[in-house]
Amino acid sequence: MYHSIITHLENGILTVTINRPDKLNALNKSVFDDLDLMMDEAYANHEIKGVIITGSGTKAFVAGADIAEFSSFSKEEATALSIRGQEVFQKIENCPKPVIAAVNGFALGGGCELAMSCHFRVCSDNAKFGQPEVNLGLIPGYGGTQRLTHLVGKGKSMEWHMTAKIVDAQEALSSGLVNYVTTNEELLPKVTALMQQILTKAPIAIGKLIECINVAVINDSAFTNGKTGYTIEAEQFGACFETEDMKEGTTAFLEKRKANFTGK
Ligand code: COA
């Protein structure tokens, strides 16, 4: 089914490994097509409760967009490539199920952008982040200028983009780009444990959280039909009261027992 990614579904967690190790998992058309298909599957398949995205090997998560593939593109082709990448990454960002990036090495250019489109990030201590596109006479095209600014603030985003700075794991942690740093061996166990913790919660509420928190940073009235994030939060808070899981969660608390959520 897939050509450039490997997927493994276990206990509701779909682990997705970008698999072009000889090219440091650079994002070419085949990877984008696979990620797009995989996200359609993640949205639709009830057996998939959450997604972890990582890269093959211990050297790179993703070393960027495939430079060889786009170097001779026209303006129109490049614009279309950017829109295509943005659409796939927005599908990841807006997935109603949790998506966590397990960053196991270089996350440069499109790799950093892929990691930032996930709901949050954990990285190994050898990870390196950056948007080095200016070295190529380029700027990011898959949402990097927007998401890095949201995550680390305008000043750092400006500096990191303009200087093509490569940021190590500790600086990524202190800047808020990643939530935890682990050894390479501990990376997937840590991310899996975080995912398992999330999967004990009410799935519909998790989906609504993702939507509301995304609205807080996207802040685009076209995306929200002109509604503010507060209006959407109030609507989604109300909608939770129509779920069986909300009744189960509040009843379980009052009965001093553990809630058993069914996703309904
Ligand atoms: N696109 C296409 N191919 C890439 C790539 C990319 N973004 N990043 C790495 N590769 C390829 C290299 O061309 C090389 O292929 P080859 O063996 O057929 O020559 C292979 O992956 C290994 O990379 P190499 O550069 O030899 O590894 P390194 O350890 O010396 O350096 C990096 C690692 C990440 C520092 C270096 O590969 C790099 O700078 N990559 C580009 C990063 C970048 O600018 N990304 C933004 C793109 S918009």
Side-chain angles (χ1 to χ4, degrees):
M1 183 175 172
Y2 299 118
H3 301 285
S4 304
I5 64 174
I6 297 167
T7 59
H8 175 73
L9 180 60
E10 190 174 336
N11 300 326
I13 302 174
L14 184 74
T15 301
V16 178
T17 307
I18 313 227
N19 190 36
R20 297 186 70 211
D22 52 327
K23 296 291 175 190
L24 303 186
N25 305 320
L27 300 173
N28 63 1
K29 181 177 182 309
S30 171
V31 178
F32 271 115
D33 289 347
D34 282 358
L35 287 175
D36 196 11
L37 265 182
M38 177 278 292
M39 285 314 296
D40 286 344
E41 172 77 1
Y43 275 63
N45 184 342
H46 295 298
E47 287 178 18
I48 299 174
K49 313 286 187 198
V51 179
I52 295 170
I53 300 181
T54 193
S56 64
T58 54
K59 185 171 173 183
F61 172 69
V62 166
D66 191 319
I67 298 167
E69 197 179 62
F70 67 60
S71 59
S72 61
F73 272 14
S74 66
K75 174 186 168 186
E76 287 72 24
E77 288 171 314
T79 306
L81 178 74
S82 172
I83 291 169
R84 165 77 175 148
Q86 289 183 3
E87 282 172 354
V88 174
F89 286 5
Q90 278 162 3
K91 213 180 254 191
I92 295 171
E93 182 167 55
N94 294 320
C95 180
K97 302 170 184 179
V99 184
I100 310 176
V103 180
N104 55 310
F106 287 112
L108 303 178
C112 189
E113 291 172 291
L114 171 62
M116 293 191 295
S117 73
C118 298
H119 296 139
F120 62 91
R121 289 140 293 285
V122 179
C123 77
S124 56
D125 46 20
N126 67 328
K128 299 253 188 298
F129 295 83
Q131 298 293 158
E133 285 85 354
V134 287
N135 288 337
L136 305 168
L138 284 173
I139 65 169
Y142 306 148
T145 58
Q146 307 302 295
R147 293 196 182 95
L148 187 65
T149 308
H150 293 145
L151 282 164
V152 305
K154 182 176 173 183
K156 283 196 164 108
S157 177
M158 284 281 189
E159 182 207 329
W160 293 7
H161 278 102
M162 286 196 253
T163 62
K165 176 170 172 155
I166 304 300
V167 175
D168 66 18
Q170 283 310 322
E171 189 167 2
L173 181 67
S174 64
S175 304
L177 184 53
V178 303
N179 292 17
Y180 301 94
V181 178
T182 71
T183 61
N184 238 310
E185 296 70 42
E186 279 303 308
L187 180 62
L188 279 178
K190 172 73 181 173
V191 176
T192 304
L194 283 163
M195 185 65 88
Q196 283 167 339
Q197 197 185 347
I198 297 167
L199 297 189
T200 64
K201 316 299 179 196
I204 296 175
I206 295 291
K208 292 183 184 310
L209 276 177
I210 292 166
E211 183 183 341
C212 291
I213 293 168
N214 280 344
V215 167
V217 289
I218 291 167
N219 197 19
D220 177 346
S221 61
F223 180 78
T224 62
N225 287 326
K227 293 176 186 169
T228 69
Y230 291 102
T231 303
I232 291 169
E233 184 187 85
E235 286 174 359
Q236 297 298 358
F237 178 78
C240 288
F241 283 67
E242 292 189 323
T243 65
E244 289 176 19
D245 278 348
M246 180 270 175
K247 289 179 183 61
E248 165 65 8
T250 50
T251 305
F253 175 80
L254 295 171
E255 292 177 353
K256 301 190 187 304
R257 63 174 173 81
K258 200 168 170 294
N260 180 25
F261 295 119
T262 59
K264 291 184 188 141

